[in-house]
Amino acid sequence: MEFANVLLEKEGAVATLTVNRPKALNALNRDTLLDIKAAIEACRDDAEVNVIIITGAGDKAFVAGADITFMQEMNALEGREFGLLGQSVFSLIESIEKPVIAAINGFALGGGCELAMACDFRICSDASKFGQPEVGLGVTPGFGGTQRLPRLVGTGMAKQLLYSGDMIDAAEALRIGLVNAVLPVDELMPYVKKLAARIASRGQVAVRFCKVAVNEGMQTDIDRSMTLEADLFGLCFATQDQKEGMKAFVEKRKAQFVGK
Ligand code: CAA
């Protein structure tokens, strides 16, 4: 599938979506957001894709934010619509029942940090920089940053980053829990692809149920979320993958999952 602002490649059961506007440090205008949406929907609907990686083109940026040139002359209603569009695309990423990993290869600022935070988890290169610099432009974050950042790093650290607009480096992002691992630039994609392939080799119904359980569970009280976990756990016993996974363990061989 071809997109003007996004590359979509498949290797086995892993799809890599690359935001591809390197001259603008992969900044997000409306067309780029719509391309990301279409590419994610294509991955969602492709039964061969188990795991999605999102990264940025070039050697400088993951995504340097929403496109400031594009936003400059917007009125209030257009700003609201643009915010709602970005939010809906990122909520799609968060809610599709396939794991999405952010492979951050440089600046992840504003809408770029928000895109990374909508992914299930983040791995970055040691050259990466993170931040929500919107207050320096006279606006708040608009693609979920005020909501996902405190949920990831706690309200105190989130407020410091949101109010100051300061950038942090990869080591600090690791320390505050914004990313799970920091790799030398050359090792980033091989590491993420290997991890994605490992996830893609597991029982996919179970992997998807894990995503649903965590996402739903974090938005509800512990009693309800435990009930949800028990229901999903029980439902796994209706799958071929559960039969195969447990049989393979008992027979001391590698399981051959079919994702059903
Ligand atoms: N929007 C539009 N263009 C951008 C951009 C953005 N967010 N970020 C970078 N660019 C463009 C630059 O204008 C420049 O274009 P030209 O070559 O045509 O001049 C090109 O990308 C390269 O950028 P720089 O020359 O600035 O590169 P640098 O290495 O000197 O600086 C940077 C890199 C620190 C990331 C700097 O580009 C920067 O500060 N970018 C803006 C970051 C930002 O404020 N992001 C938040 C946007 S608002 C937002 O995201 C709102 C929201 O939540 C929805």
Side-chain angles (χ1 to χ4, degrees):
M1 207 172 252
E2 301 267 314
F3 305 94
N5 303 295
V6 158
L7 302 172
L8 187 59
E9 293 153 309
K10 271 203 303 184
E11 282 171 69
V14 178
T16 301
L17 186 167
T18 305
V19 183
N20 188 29
R21 292 185 74 211
K23 283 197 183 120
L25 303 189
N26 305 319
L28 304 171
N29 55 18
R30 183 181 287 118
D31 288 347
T32 307
L33 285 170
L34 291 173
D35 281 355
I36 294 172
K37 178 172 187 270
I40 291 290
E41 285 170 345
C43 292
R44 179 196 60 196
D45 298 341
D46 185 340
E48 287 175 4
V49 172
N50 289 347
V51 180
I52 302 153
I53 299 169
I54 300 184
T55 192
D59 53 11
K60 240 177 124 173
F62 174 69
V63 167
D67 190 316
I68 299 166
T69 317
F70 179 76
M71 290 186 294
Q72 195 182 358
E73 302 296 338
M74 279 182 178
N75 62 32
L77 271 183
E78 289 164 345
R80 184 171 185 274
E81 267 169 33
F82 191 50
L84 288 172
L85 173 65
Q87 286 181 358
S88 71
V89 176
F90 293 3
S91 292
L92 173 73
I93 291 168
E94 191 173 56
S95 64
I96 60 160
E97 290 185 17
K98 296 187 181 185
V100 186
I101 308 170
I104 298 151
N105 55 311
F107 291 110
L109 300 174
C113 191
E114 292 169 303
L115 171 60
M117 290 191 291
C119 297
D120 290 298
F121 56 86
R122 291 141 292 284
I123 312 282
C124 76
S125 77
D126 52 11
S128 297
K129 295 260 194 297
F130 299 80
Q132 297 289 160
E134 286 89 345
V135 289
L137 299 163
V139 293
T140 64
F143 296 166
T146 61
Q147 302 309 307
R148 292 197 176 93
L149 191 58
R151 284 167 171 78
L152 272 169
V153 304
T155 50
M157 184 53 75
K159 284 176 174 174
Q160 182 178 330
L161 291 170
L162 291 164
Y163 300 172
S164 67
D166 285 348
M167 269 194 240
I168 56 169
D169 63 15
E172 179 67 355
L174 181 66
R175 194 187 70 79
I176 66 174
L178 187 55
V179 299
N180 290 1
V182 180
L183 279 300
V185 175
D186 295 347
E187 293 171 30
L188 175 68
M189 285 317 285
Y191 177 94
V192 175
K193 284 187 175 178
K194 234 168 129 179
L195 174 57
R198 207 154 63 243
I199 294 170
S201 75
R202 309 302 191 199
Q204 289 310 296
V205 178
V207 170
R208 288 168 197 184
F209 283 0
C210 286
K211 179 163 179 171
V212 171
V214 174
N215 282 3
E216 296 286 321
M218 293 306 285
Q219 301 208 54
T220 184
D221 63 83
I222 189 90
D223 292 339
R224 278 167 193 260
S225 50
M226 287 298 187
T227 304
L228 172 65
E229 185 190 78
D231 289 346
L232 292 170
F233 177 66
L235 207 48
C236 290
F237 289 83
T239 66
Q240 291 177 42
D241 282 356
Q242 175 272 327
K243 309 268 174 292
E244 166 62 8
M246 294 194 180
K247 193 162 184 278
F249 177 83
V250 171
E251 293 172 0
K252 300 192 188 304
R253 61 175 173 82
K254 200 172 179 306
Q256 301 297 319
F257 291 120
V258 291
K260 288 182 195 159

